[in-house]
Amino acid sequence: MSIKSLSSTHVSDGRALTSRPESSEELKESLREEKRIRLKVDFRLCTIAGLLCSLNLLDSGIISSASVTSMLHDLALDQGNRYSVSILIFTVASVCFQLPATVAVRLLGPRIFFSLVTFCFGLITLCIAFIHTWKEMILMRVLLGIAMSGIYPGLALLISSWYRREELQLRFAFLQSGQLIVLATGGIVNYGLNHLHGNGDLKGWQWMFLVQGLFACVIGIATYWWIVDFPEHSNQSFRFLTKEEAHIASSRIHRDRGDVVPAPFTLKEILRHFLDLKIYGFAASFFLLNLVSTSLSYFLPIILQSGMGFSTNKSILLSAPPYYYAVIPVVLSSFVGDKYRLRGPVIVFNSLCLIAGFIMLGFADQVTVRYIGTYLATGAYVSNWAALNSYQASNITGQWKRAVTAAAVTACNGLGGVAGSFIVRQQEAPRYVTAIWVSIR
């Protein structure tokens, strides 16, 4: 049976999207070719997606590491709730721009969009090294939030466009693993950069923003050639797939859910998807997840310093290992989830591990036990990020509907960050009772 004669749905070069050949030899050859193309996509897309996704946690890693140096005093962020407000305002700006930014990924294309916003993120981060007041920090955080608004939902949309539903959770785990490795390594880098305090008339926290801002700018430039387009236009990506390979990639996705080619863009097409109640259920789940993750990712060095008695440099250094550990549970749980096509049981198991971690962190007397609790909690919430993303992507079809869902859940994910930025209260050290009880419940 001819590959080109089976369907009336077409990709950009005019060829039909198809079902697999019927003979056993043709089927085996088709599966081998699909696997080769999928590995090609893994190498090109998951690698750069992990780096780009790490930018949000890179930001939280820098500002949380800087928070146990002289930065809070230098910028007068130690007065009242100014530090929490600086975290809050980033999230508010990001939430406000997430839907238009996610639509822009489709309209502009991933290469232009992600390279532009990544370079802007790096430039703004670099500029923070030279600010002098808390008001300037608030302004920079607003600009960072706008620059970052489309990264998470845009990458979720792009990745879900490239993989079949039973392949998604492991790919989100790959993305998350790259993010975690960059974040953890960034904590170690921050430890080293803090030792440059006084060099070049810059303080340790200024070196953190300067060096890692330059790193993000370089990544932004490389992204233009590194990242790939959506499947139907993938042959336009730099040295990636041929037209024939792009056709095969589009065909396998079309067989899975039939939404490779998006409907024409209209405002009505976007807004009508908000009538689906599933979107709000997924959004609530992401709100609760980020409520927990923010309380750890932004405040872990502070918890280690004020709650467990470690020095400034040890607090920065010890905040890295839990993220390295988290790669293990996120990959293992995602492998199980994809292999056995399980989502709910995996999410429940991760949630129980999260509760156990916070119980250890909040109610144990020994510092070692409390520190181990940060491992369990970090591994669990990271694993659930991959599980929830694959859960929503597997239950939503249609390009614009997935764009709306990705933006909506990421916006509520950000609102969870708003709440999470206020539940860790310095006056409650060393137990942080509010943060522990809210995270457990």
Side-chain angles (χ1 to χ4, degrees):
M1 184 176 291
S2 169
I3 286 181
K4 297 182 183 180
S5 65
L6 297 172
S7 172
S8 61
T9 304
H10 290 71
V11 289
S12 58
D13 64 356
R15 289 181 296 172
L17 298 177
T18 69
S19 60
R20 288 196 183 109
E22 289 183 345
S23 74
S24 59
E25 285 303 316
E26 287 180 326
L27 180 58
K28 289 178 182 178
E29 180 61 30
S30 176
L31 289 173
R32 281 195 294 268
E33 183 68 6
E34 287 185 8
K35 183 177 180 181
R36 184 184 66 81
I37 293 172
R38 190 183 65 200
L39 289 174
K40 210 171 181 180
V41 176
D42 286 342
F43 179 75
R44 277 290 292 271
L45 178 55
C46 292
T47 49
I48 185 61
L51 279 174
L52 295 180
C53 198
S54 72
L55 294 180
N56 193 31
L57 283 184
L58 180 68
D59 167 73
S60 67
I62 299 172
I63 196 168
S64 63
S65 294
S67 68
V68 294
T69 67
S70 63
M71 183 191 73
L72 298 186
H73 175 74
D74 295 339
L75 301 180
L77 286 168
D78 55 352
Q79 299 179 24
N81 288 325
R82 287 177 181 175
Y83 177 63
S84 291
V85 170
S86 70
I87 296 171
L88 162 69
I89 202 68
F90 169 92
T91 306
V92 171
S94 181
V95 167
C96 290
F97 282 85
Q98 267 161 0
L99 181 56
T102 307
V103 173
V105 176
R106 255 293 172 190
L107 298 179
L108 296 177
R111 297 177 70 193
I112 293 175
F113 179 84
F114 287 115
S115 58
L116 178 63
V117 298
T118 303
F119 184 83
C120 290
F121 172 86
L123 186 62
I124 297 166
T125 301
L126 187 155
C127 290
I128 292 178
F130 304 102
I131 64 175
H132 299 94
T133 69
W134 69 274
K135 292 180 180 179
E136 292 171 340
M137 173 62 93
I138 297 297
L139 175 61
M140 291 294 103
R141 298 289 295 168
V142 170
L143 295 177
L144 276 177
I146 295 172
M148 283 298 300
S149 60
I151 294 288
Y152 265 162
L155 287 173
L157 175 63
L158 183 59
I159 287 177
S160 64
S161 298
W162 270 103
Y163 294 100
R164 296 168 63 87
R165 282 172 286 187
E166 69 270 17
E167 300 166 348
L168 279 173
Q169 188 169 345
L170 190 58
R171 270 67 197 184
F172 279 119
F174 290 157
L175 183 152
Q176 196 74 358
S177 297
Q179 179 182 13
L180 291 168
I181 290 170
V182 171
L183 173 64
T185 305
I188 297 173
V189 170
N190 288 333
Y191 170 78
L193 292 174
N194 195 44
H195 284 80
L196 294 178
H197 184 85
N199 289 357
D201 294 326
L202 295 177
K203 297 181 179 180
W205 65 267
Q206 291 175 298
W207 279 108
M208 295 179 195
F209 284 101
L210 176 62
V211 171
Q212 294 179 74
L214 284 172
F215 169 76
C217 286
V218 172
I219 293 297
I221 295 171
T223 296
Y224 183 78
W225 291 277
W226 192 346
I227 204 165
V228 302
D229 212 318
F230 288 96
E232 70 273 20
H233 301 304
S234 56
N235 62 297
Q236 300 173 12
S237 303
F238 181 72
R239 292 188 178 182
F240 185 40
L241 300 182
T242 64
K243 287 186 178 181
E244 185 64 34
E245 290 172 331
H247 176 68
I248 294 172
S250 296
S251 295
R252 69 187 293 271
I253 301 304
H254 181 70
R255 288 194 303 270
D256 182 54
R257 55 179 180 265
D259 67 349
V260 171
V261 181
F265 172 77
T266 64
L267 185 60
K268 181 180 179 181
E269 178 68 20
I270 295 295
L271 295 179
R272 73 182 183 88
H273 296 305
F274 284 101
L275 298 176
D276 190 340
L277 296 179
K278 289 198 299 292
I279 292 178
Y280 300 98
F282 290 130
S285 298
F286 275 87
F287 173 89
L288 296 173
L289 180 64
N290 204 36
L291 172 70
V292 174
S293 67
T294 297
S295 67
L296 275 177
S297 61
Y298 278 100
F299 292 93
L300 183 55
I302 292 177
I303 292 171
L304 291 170
Q305 184 184 54
S306 303
M308 301 186 195
F310 291 106
S311 66
T312 295
N313 284 325
K314 284 185 177 179
S315 297
I316 296 173
L317 193 60
L318 289 173
S319 64
Y323 292 105
Y324 282 122
Y325 159 78
V327 173
I328 299 172
V330 70
V331 170
L332 287 179
S333 64
S334 297
F335 176 79
V336 171
D338 278 351
K339 182 175 178 61
Y340 298 102
R341 301 190 181 188
L342 295 173
R343 297 292 183 252
V346 172
I347 293 170
V348 170
F349 174 77
N350 290 332
S351 298
L352 292 175
C353 290
L354 181 66
I355 292 171
F358 270 100
I359 288 174
M360 293 170 67
L361 177 60
F363 302 110
D365 293 322
Q366 294 182 333
V367 170
T368 302
V369 175
R370 298 185 69 199
Y371 184 56
I372 291 174
T374 66
Y375 280 72
L376 274 179
T378 302
Y381 84 70
V382 167
S383 297
N384 259 353
W385 187 89
L388 284 170
N389 265 293
S390 59
Y391 192 29
Q392 64 91 2
S394 297
N395 286 277
I396 299 293
T397 58
Q399 291 283 347
W400 293 120
K401 188 172 185 178
R402 284 193 286 114
V404 168
T405 304
V409 300
T410 308
C412 285
N413 187 67
L415 293 175
V418 173
S421 65
F422 285 97
I423 64 174
V424 180
R425 302 176 179 177
Q426 281 292 87
Q427 62 268 30
E428 293 182 348
R431 293 293 178 182
Y432 299 101
V433 176
T434 300
I436 296 299
W437 276 114
V438 170
S439 298
I440 289 174
R441 292 177 181 180

mmCIF file of all heavy atoms in Angstrom, residues 249-283:
data_model
loop_
_atom_site.group_PDB
_atom_site.id
_atom_site.type_symbol
_atom_site.label_atom_id
_atom_site.label_comp_id
_atom_site.label_asym_id
_atom_site.label_seq_id
_atom_site.Cartn_x
_atom_site.Cartn_y
_atom_site.Cartn_z
ATOM 1 N N ALA A 249 7.839 11.990 10.431
ATOM 2 C CA ALA A 249 7.623 12.474 11.802
ATOM 3 C C ALA A 249 6.212 13.009 11.979
ATOM 4 O O ALA A 249 5.544 12.742 12.987
ATOM 5 C CB ALA A 249 8.648 13.559 12.132
ATOM 6 N N SER A 250 5.721 13.771 10.994
ATOM 7 C CA SER A 250 4.364 14.315 11.066
ATOM 8 C C SER A 250 3.326 13.199 11.001
ATOM 9 O O SER A 250 2.302 13.240 11.694
ATOM 10 C CB SER A 250 4.133 15.307 9.921
ATOM 11 O OG SER A 250 4.989 16.427 10.043
ATOM 12 N N SER A 251 3.605 12.179 10.195
ATOM 13 C CA SER A 251 2.657 11.076 10.019
ATOM 14 C C SER A 251 2.451 10.296 11.317
ATOM 15 O O SER A 251 1.324 9.934 11.662
ATOM 16 C CB SER A 251 3.149 10.133 8.923
ATOM 17 O OG SER A 251 3.160 10.777 7.671
ATOM 18 N N ARG A 252 3.541 10.038 12.053
ATOM 19 C CA ARG A 252 3.415 9.252 13.286
ATOM 20 C C ARG A 252 2.610 10.011 14.341
ATOM 21 O O ARG A 252 1.857 9.407 15.115
ATOM 22 C CB ARG A 252 4.784 8.814 13.812
ATOM 23 C CG ARG A 252 5.652 9.927 14.341
ATOM 24 C CD ARG A 252 7.057 9.437 14.685
ATOM 25 N NE ARG A 252 7.044 8.538 15.804
ATOM 26 C CZ ARG A 252 7.149 8.913 17.080
ATOM 27 N NH1 ARG A 252 7.265 10.203 17.389
ATOM 28 N NH2 ARG A 252 7.138 8.033 18.055
ATOM 29 N N ILE A 253 2.736 11.343 14.370
ATOM 30 C CA ILE A 253 1.962 12.143 15.319
ATOM 31 C C ILE A 253 0.498 12.199 14.876
ATOM 32 O O ILE A 253 -0.427 12.117 15.691
ATOM 33 C CB ILE A 253 2.538 13.561 15.435
ATOM 34 C CG1 ILE A 253 4.006 13.505 15.895
ATOM 35 C CG2 ILE A 253 1.714 14.394 16.411
ATOM 36 C CD1 ILE A 253 4.225 12.767 17.186
ATOM 37 N N HIS A 254 0.290 12.307 13.566
ATOM 38 C CA HIS A 254 -1.090 12.354 13.055
ATOM 39 C C HIS A 254 -1.828 11.054 13.361
ATOM 40 O O HIS A 254 -3.019 11.075 13.691
ATOM 41 C CB HIS A 254 -1.067 12.605 11.550
ATOM 42 C CG HIS A 254 -2.435 12.697 10.953
ATOM 43 N ND1 HIS A 254 -3.281 13.761 11.184
ATOM 44 C CD2 HIS A 254 -3.124 11.849 10.136
ATOM 45 C CE1 HIS A 254 -4.415 13.570 10.553
ATOM 46 N NE2 HIS A 254 -4.351 12.416 9.907
ATOM 47 N N ARG A 255 -1.145 9.931 13.275
ATOM 48 C CA ARG A 255 -1.783 8.651 13.597
ATOM 49 C C ARG A 255 -2.174 8.569 15.073
ATOM 50 O O ARG A 255 -3.133 7.929 15.443
ATOM 51 C CB ARG A 255 -0.843 7.482 13.261
ATOM 52 C CG ARG A 255 -0.671 7.216 11.783
ATOM 53 C CD ARG A 255 -0.020 5.850 11.547
ATOM 54 N NE ARG A 255 1.254 5.731 12.212
ATOM 55 C CZ ARG A 255 2.434 6.069 11.662
ATOM 56 N NH1 ARG A 255 2.467 6.579 10.438
ATOM 57 N NH2 ARG A 255 3.551 5.905 12.328
ATOM 58 N N ASP A 256 -1.402 9.268 15.916
ATOM 59 C CA ASP A 256 -1.660 9.203 17.360
ATOM 60 C C ASP A 256 -2.840 10.073 17.766
ATOM 61 O O ASP A 256 -3.678 9.657 18.572
ATOM 62 C CB ASP A 256 -0.400 9.636 18.123
ATOM 63 C CG ASP A 256 -0.573 9.558 19.618
ATOM 64 O OD1 ASP A 256 -0.958 8.480 20.114
ATOM 65 O OD2 ASP A 256 -0.330 10.574 20.306
ATOM 66 N N ARG A 257 -2.917 11.300 17.239
ATOM 67 C CA ARG A 257 -3.996 12.190 17.699
ATOM 68 C C ARG A 257 -4.561 13.097 16.613
ATOM 69 O O ARG A 257 -5.469 13.888 16.868
ATOM 70 C CB ARG A 257 -3.514 13.036 18.882
ATOM 71 C CG ARG A 257 -2.259 13.834 18.634
ATOM 72 C CD ARG A 257 -1.881 14.647 19.856
ATOM 73 N NE ARG A 257 -0.673 15.424 19.608
ATOM 74 C CZ ARG A 257 0.541 15.028 19.925
ATOM 75 N NH1 ARG A 257 0.716 13.865 20.540
ATOM 76 N NH2 ARG A 257 1.588 15.788 19.664
ATOM 77 N N GLY A 258 -4.023 13.048 15.394
ATOM 78 C CA GLY A 258 -4.635 13.744 14.269
ATOM 79 C C GLY A 258 -4.674 15.248 14.363
ATOM 80 O O GLY A 258 -5.634 15.874 13.884
ATOM 81 N N ASP A 259 -3.655 15.884 14.970
ATOM 82 C CA ASP A 259 -3.695 17.348 15.087
ATOM 83 C C ASP A 259 -2.362 17.995 14.714
ATOM 84 O O ASP A 259 -1.967 19.002 15.289
ATOM 85 C CB ASP A 259 -4.095 17.755 16.508
ATOM 86 C CG ASP A 259 -3.042 17.379 17.553
ATOM 87 O OD1 ASP A 259 -2.102 16.630 17.224
ATOM 88 O OD2 ASP A 259 -3.147 17.839 18.702
ATOM 89 N N VAL A 260 -1.672 17.415 13.741
ATOM 90 C CA VAL A 260 -0.370 17.960 13.358
ATOM 91 C C VAL A 260 -0.499 19.385 12.833
ATOM 92 O O VAL A 260 0.232 20.289 13.233
ATOM 93 C CB VAL A 260 0.310 17.067 12.296
ATOM 94 C CG1 VAL A 260 1.547 17.748 11.733
ATOM 95 C CG2 VAL A 260 0.696 15.733 12.918
ATOM 96 N N VAL A 261 -1.445 19.601 11.919
ATOM 97 C CA VAL A 261 -1.597 20.907 11.292
ATOM 98 C C VAL A 261 -2.624 21.731 12.073
ATOM 99 O O VAL A 261 -3.757 21.295 12.251
ATOM 100 C CB VAL A 261 -2.052 20.757 9.829
ATOM 101 C CG1 VAL A 261 -2.190 22.133 9.169
ATOM 102 C CG2 VAL A 261 -1.055 19.900 9.060
ATOM 103 N N PRO A 262 -2.247 22.925 12.572
ATOM 104 C CA PRO A 262 -3.190 23.736 13.355
ATOM 105 C C PRO A 262 -4.269 24.368 12.485
ATOM 106 O O PRO A 262 -4.062 24.618 11.294
ATOM 107 C CB PRO A 262 -2.290 24.811 13.971
ATOM 108 C CG PRO A 262 -1.151 24.947 13.013
ATOM 109 C CD PRO A 262 -0.920 23.568 12.456
ATOM 110 N N ALA A 263 -5.421 24.623 13.093
ATOM 111 C CA ALA A 263 -6.470 25.373 12.407
ATOM 112 C C ALA A 263 -6.014 26.818 12.238
ATOM 113 O O ALA A 263 -5.120 27.278 12.951
ATOM 114 C CB ALA A 263 -7.758 25.311 13.228
ATOM 115 N N PRO A 264 -6.592 27.555 11.311
ATOM 116 C CA PRO A 264 -6.226 28.970 11.157
ATOM 117 C C PRO A 264 -6.423 29.736 12.472
ATOM 118 O O PRO A 264 -7.391 29.499 13.198
ATOM 119 C CB PRO A 264 -7.199 29.471 10.074
ATOM 120 C CG PRO A 264 -7.562 28.244 9.301
ATOM 121 C CD PRO A 264 -7.592 27.132 10.310
ATOM 122 N N PHE A 265 -5.509 30.639 12.753
ATOM 123 C CA PHE A 265 -5.571 31.381 14.021
ATOM 124 C C PHE A 265 -6.680 32.431 13.996
ATOM 125 O O PHE A 265 -6.756 33.251 13.088
ATOM 126 C CB PHE A 265 -4.239 32.070 14.286
ATOM 127 C CG PHE A 265 -4.278 33.010 15.460
ATOM 128 C CD1 PHE A 265 -4.252 32.510 16.752
ATOM 129 C CD2 PHE A 265 -4.368 34.381 15.271
ATOM 130 C CE1 PHE A 265 -4.308 33.373 17.845
ATOM 131 C CE2 PHE A 265 -4.423 35.241 16.360
ATOM 132 C CZ PHE A 265 -4.396 34.734 17.643
ATOM 133 N N THR A 266 -7.548 32.362 15.006
ATOM 134 C CA THR A 266 -8.531 33.414 15.262
ATOM 135 C C THR A 266 -8.687 33.550 16.775
ATOM 136 O O THR A 266 -8.431 32.604 17.521
ATOM 137 C CB THR A 266 -9.916 33.090 14.651
ATOM 138 O OG1 THR A 266 -10.446 31.907 15.288
ATOM 139 C CG2 THR A 266 -9.822 32.873 13.146
ATOM 140 N N LEU A 267 -9.124 34.719 17.218
ATOM 141 C CA LEU A 267 -9.332 34.927 18.647
ATOM 142 C C LEU A 267 -10.422 34.006 19.171
ATOM 143 O O LEU A 267 -10.320 33.470 20.282
ATOM 144 C CB LEU A 267 -9.698 36.384 18.923
ATOM 145 C CG LEU A 267 -9.839 36.776 20.394
ATOM 146 C CD1 LEU A 267 -8.531 36.535 21.143
ATOM 147 C CD2 LEU A 267 -10.273 38.234 20.519
ATOM 148 N N LYS A 268 -11.460 33.772 18.366
ATOM 149 C CA LYS A 268 -12.545 32.880 18.766
ATOM 150 C C LYS A 268 -12.021 31.467 18.973
ATOM 151 O O LYS A 268 -12.422 30.772 19.916
ATOM 152 C CB LYS A 268 -13.650 32.901 17.713
ATOM 153 C CG LYS A 268 -14.844 32.015 18.054
ATOM 154 C CD LYS A 268 -15.905 32.080 16.966
ATOM 155 C CE LYS A 268 -17.085 31.169 17.305
ATOM 156 N NZ LYS A 268 -18.126 31.212 16.239
ATOM 157 N N GLU A 269 -11.125 31.029 18.100
ATOM 158 C CA GLU A 269 -10.541 29.695 18.206
ATOM 159 C C GLU A 269 -9.765 29.536 19.511
ATOM 160 O O GLU A 269 -9.757 28.472 20.120
ATOM 161 C CB GLU A 269 -9.613 29.441 17.010
ATOM 162 C CG GLU A 269 -8.893 28.104 17.022
ATOM 163 C CD GLU A 269 -9.831 26.926 16.834
ATOM 164 O OE1 GLU A 269 -10.954 27.123 16.318
ATOM 165 O OE2 GLU A 269 -9.453 25.799 17.219
ATOM 166 N N ILE A 270 -9.141 30.604 19.960
ATOM 167 C CA ILE A 270 -8.389 30.567 21.222
ATOM 168 C C ILE A 270 -9.349 30.569 22.415
ATOM 169 O O ILE A 270 -9.249 29.722 23.315
ATOM 170 C CB ILE A 270 -7.441 31.777 21.312
ATOM 171 C CG1 ILE A 270 -6.366 31.700 20.214
ATOM 172 C CG2 ILE A 270 -6.793 31.853 22.697
ATOM 173 C CD1 ILE A 270 -5.421 30.542 20.330
ATOM 174 N N LEU A 271 -10.291 31.494 22.425
ATOM 175 C CA LEU A 271 -11.131 31.699 23.612
ATOM 176 C C LEU A 271 -12.118 30.557 23.861
ATOM 177 O O LEU A 271 -12.450 30.269 25.009
ATOM 178 C CB LEU A 271 -11.893 33.020 23.478
ATOM 179 C CG LEU A 271 -11.036 34.293 23.460
ATOM 180 C CD1 LEU A 271 -11.918 35.521 23.291
ATOM 181 C CD2 LEU A 271 -10.205 34.402 24.731
ATOM 182 N N ARG A 272 -12.569 29.886 22.809
ATOM 183 C CA ARG A 272 -13.585 28.844 23.008
ATOM 184 C C ARG A 272 -13.061 27.673 23.824
ATOM 185 O O ARG A 272 -13.829 26.950 24.462
ATOM 186 C CB ARG A 272 -14.118 28.347 21.663
ATOM 187 C CG ARG A 272 -13.174 27.467 20.862
ATOM 188 C CD ARG A 272 -13.780 27.072 19.527
ATOM 189 N NE ARG A 272 -12.922 26.163 18.777
ATOM 190 C CZ ARG A 272 -12.950 24.840 18.906
ATOM 191 N NH1 ARG A 272 -13.800 24.280 19.759
ATOM 192 N NH2 ARG A 272 -12.143 24.077 18.186
ATOM 193 N N HIS A 273 -11.751 27.488 23.859
ATOM 194 C CA HIS A 273 -11.182 26.361 24.591
ATOM 195 C C HIS A 273 -11.237 26.559 26.109
ATOM 196 O O HIS A 273 -11.088 25.594 26.866
ATOM 197 C CB HIS A 273 -9.736 26.117 24.158
ATOM 198 C CG HIS A 273 -9.617 25.718 22.712
ATOM 199 N ND1 HIS A 273 -10.298 24.650 22.177
ATOM 200 C CD2 HIS A 273 -8.902 26.256 21.694
ATOM 201 C CE1 HIS A 273 -10.011 24.542 20.897
ATOM 202 N NE2 HIS A 273 -9.168 25.504 20.572
ATOM 203 N N PHE A 274 -11.464 27.795 26.550
ATOM 204 C CA PHE A 274 -11.581 28.035 27.987
ATOM 205 C C PHE A 274 -12.887 27.475 28.556
ATOM 206 O O PHE A 274 -13.087 27.492 29.770
ATOM 207 C CB PHE A 274 -11.473 29.530 28.288
ATOM 208 C CG PHE A 274 -10.069 30.062 28.201
ATOM 209 C CD1 PHE A 274 -9.649 30.750 27.083
ATOM 210 C CD2 PHE A 274 -9.169 29.839 29.234
ATOM 211 C CE1 PHE A 274 -8.353 31.240 27.001
ATOM 212 C CE2 PHE A 274 -7.875 30.323 29.160
ATOM 213 C CZ PHE A 274 -7.461 31.022 28.034
ATOM 214 N N LEU A 275 -13.778 26.984 27.699
ATOM 215 C CA LEU A 275 -15.014 26.374 28.169
ATOM 216 C C LEU A 275 -14.823 24.929 28.618
ATOM 217 O O LEU A 275 -15.717 24.340 29.225
ATOM 218 C CB LEU A 275 -16.071 26.417 27.053
ATOM 219 C CG LEU A 275 -16.487 27.813 26.572
ATOM 220 C CD1 LEU A 275 -17.458 27.701 25.407
ATOM 221 C CD2 LEU A 275 -17.106 28.616 27.719
ATOM 222 N N ASP A 276 -13.674 24.353 28.340
ATOM 223 C CA ASP A 276 -13.387 22.971 28.730
ATOM 224 C C ASP A 276 -12.945 22.924 30.193
ATOM 225 O O ASP A 276 -11.915 23.503 30.562
ATOM 226 C CB ASP A 276 -12.298 22.389 27.831
ATOM 227 C CG ASP A 276 -12.131 20.887 28.017
ATOM 228 O OD1 ASP A 276 -12.555 20.356 29.072
ATOM 229 O OD2 ASP A 276 -11.563 20.235 27.122
ATOM 230 N N LEU A 277 -13.704 22.248 31.035
ATOM 231 C CA LEU A 277 -13.424 22.214 32.475
ATOM 232 C C LEU A 277 -12.126 21.485 32.805
ATOM 233 O O LEU A 277 -11.541 21.717 33.874
ATOM 234 C CB LEU A 277 -14.588 21.551 33.219
ATOM 235 C CG LEU A 277 -15.933 22.296 33.158
ATOM 236 C CD1 LEU A 277 -16.998 21.519 33.925
ATOM 237 C CD2 LEU A 277 -15.786 23.708 33.711
ATOM 238 N N LYS A 278 -11.653 20.613 31.901
ATOM 239 C CA LYS A 278 -10.400 19.900 32.179
ATOM 240 C C LYS A 278 -9.242 20.877 32.384
ATOM 241 O O LYS A 278 -8.350 20.628 33.192
ATOM 242 C CB LYS A 278 -10.054 18.951 31.017
ATOM 243 C CG LYS A 278 -10.937 17.742 30.886
ATOM 244 C CD LYS A 278 -10.298 16.664 30.034
ATOM 245 C CE LYS A 278 -10.006 17.114 28.621
ATOM 246 N NZ LYS A 278 -11.221 17.348 27.812
ATOM 247 N N ILE A 279 -9.284 21.969 31.648
ATOM 248 C CA ILE A 279 -8.205 22.953 31.752
ATOM 249 C C ILE A 279 -8.073 23.454 33.175
ATOM 250 O O ILE A 279 -6.968 23.605 33.715
ATOM 251 C CB ILE A 279 -8.450 24.127 30.785
ATOM 252 C CG1 ILE A 279 -8.314 23.650 29.341
ATOM 253 C CG2 ILE A 279 -7.498 25.279 31.065
ATOM 254 C CD1 ILE A 279 -8.591 24.718 28.309
ATOM 255 N N TYR A 280 -9.214 23.683 33.841
ATOM 256 C CA TYR A 280 -9.179 24.238 35.193
ATOM 257 C C TYR A 280 -8.720 23.205 36.214
ATOM 258 O O TYR A 280 -8.080 23.554 37.215
ATOM 259 C CB TYR A 280 -10.564 24.799 35.540
ATOM 260 C CG TYR A 280 -10.990 25.883 34.582
ATOM 261 C CD1 TYR A 280 -11.844 25.596 33.516
ATOM 262 C CD2 TYR A 280 -10.494 27.167 34.700
ATOM 263 C CE1 TYR A 280 -12.209 26.571 32.606
ATOM 264 C CE2 TYR A 280 -10.860 28.161 33.803
ATOM 265 C CZ TYR A 280 -11.708 27.854 32.750
ATOM 266 O OH TYR A 280 -12.045 28.827 31.851
ATOM 267 N N GLY A 281 -9.046 21.945 35.976
ATOM 268 C CA GLY A 281 -8.527 20.893 36.855
ATOM 269 C C GLY A 281 -7.015 20.779 36.773
ATOM 270 O O GLY A 281 -6.332 20.696 37.799
ATOM 271 N N PHE A 282 -6.474 20.793 35.543
ATOM 272 C CA PHE A 282 -5.024 20.751 35.371
ATOM 273 C C PHE A 282 -4.378 22.002 35.966
ATOM 274 O O PHE A 282 -3.317 21.940 36.596
ATOM 275 C CB PHE A 282 -4.662 20.635 33.892
ATOM 276 C CG PHE A 282 -5.002 19.301 33.282
ATOM 277 C CD1 PHE A 282 -5.723 19.226 32.097
ATOM 278 C CD2 PHE A 282 -4.601 18.122 33.891
ATOM 279 C CE1 PHE A 282 -6.036 17.998 31.533
ATOM 280 C CE2 PHE A 282 -4.914 16.884 33.331
ATOM 281 C CZ PHE A 282 -5.627 16.829 32.151
ATOM 282 N N ALA A 283 -5.020 23.157 35.767
ATOM 283 C CA ALA A 283 -4.473 24.416 36.279
ATOM 284 C C ALA A 283 -4.375 24.395 37.804
ATOM 285 O O ALA A 283 -3.374 24.839 38.382
ATOM 286 C CB ALA A 283 -5.333 25.590 35.817
#
